Amino acid sequence: ELISFMTFSAAPTALLPVLRQQRDPAADGSALFWPGAVSFLVVMSLGAGGLYLFRSEVMHALAPELSGQHRALGERLLGIVAWVLTCRGLEGYFRGWLFHRKHFIIPSLSAILINLVVLAAIFGLYDRLGIETLAVGWLCGAAAAALCTGVAAARIIRPATFRVVWSPLVRDLLR
């Protein structure tokens, strides 16, 4: 939880003022919104894809004592949860923008939204999916939180329309 908090909350919040200062200290920074969102989407998706591809190795490293059946279940769960990285990364990015603009309610409610979606998944899907319901619920909750914070951030920031994906900022962040 501590690592995810630092990754998904602290890093984007600390990164935004630095990036704004590098581009144009006098600007409000809204020109960085879409390039940064694409950058976070790419970086977090690469991380999630790597975790998904190497889930058996990760399971072996984390729990080498698991038997075949339990290891297979762990790999299935990790394969689903890996994509939470992408959603939580975007949510953290949008949360950073909202914090930067002194809007705290939506980011605070996003954790509640994730938990409500997980609970709804448990009540609605547990009979069909069993324990995998938790992973599916967490992924859906993270996607819902990213969507809500993204919409709120876009409405508050009012960035320029999405135009060029491979701007110099995006290239610099990917390097």
Side-chain angles (χ1 to χ4, degrees), residues 104-133:
F104 303 107
I105 293 174
I106 298 293
S108 299
L109 295 176
S110 67
I112 295 170
L113 177 63
I114 291 171
N115 289 321
L116 288 175
V117 171
V118 169
L119 288 173
I122 290 170
F123 288 120
L125 299 173
Y126 190 78
D127 291 339
R128 286 180 263 161
L129 297 178
I131 193 68
E132 292 177 11
T133 303

Side-chain angles (χ1 to χ4, degrees), residues 23-134:
R23 282 285 300 277
D24 183 4
D28 69 352
S30 64
L32 300 173
F33 185 83
W34 291 120
V38 170
S39 298
F40 265 79
L41 178 65
V42 168
V43 169
M44 292 298 170
S45 294
L46 287 173
L51 186 57
Y52 179 80
L53 290 174
F54 297 106
R55 64 189 179 276
S56 61
E57 290 82 0
V58 171
M59 279 306 301
H60 179 68
L62 292 175
E65 73 281 352
L66 287 179
S67 66
Q69 182 182 8
H70 290 107
R71 180 179 301 251
L73 175 62
E75 289 175 14
R76 282 197 318 272
L77 292 173
L78 192 56
I80 296 168
V81 171
W83 300 103
V84 170
L85 281 174
T86 302
C87 298
R88 292 298 305 267
L90 279 175
E91 181 212 354
Y93 174 77
F94 296 136
R95 179 187 305 203
W97 273 100
L98 291 169
F99 284 167
H100 184 65
R101 293 289 176 94
K102 311 241 184 303
H103 290 271
F104 303 107
I105 293 174
I106 298 293
S108 299
L109 295 176
S110 67
I112 295 170
L113 177 63
I114 291 171
N115 289 321
L116 288 175
V117 171
V118 169
L119 288 173
I122 290 170
F123 288 120
L125 299 173
Y126 190 78
D127 291 339
R128 286 180 263 161
L129 297 178
I131 193 68
E132 292 177 11
T133 303
L134 290 173

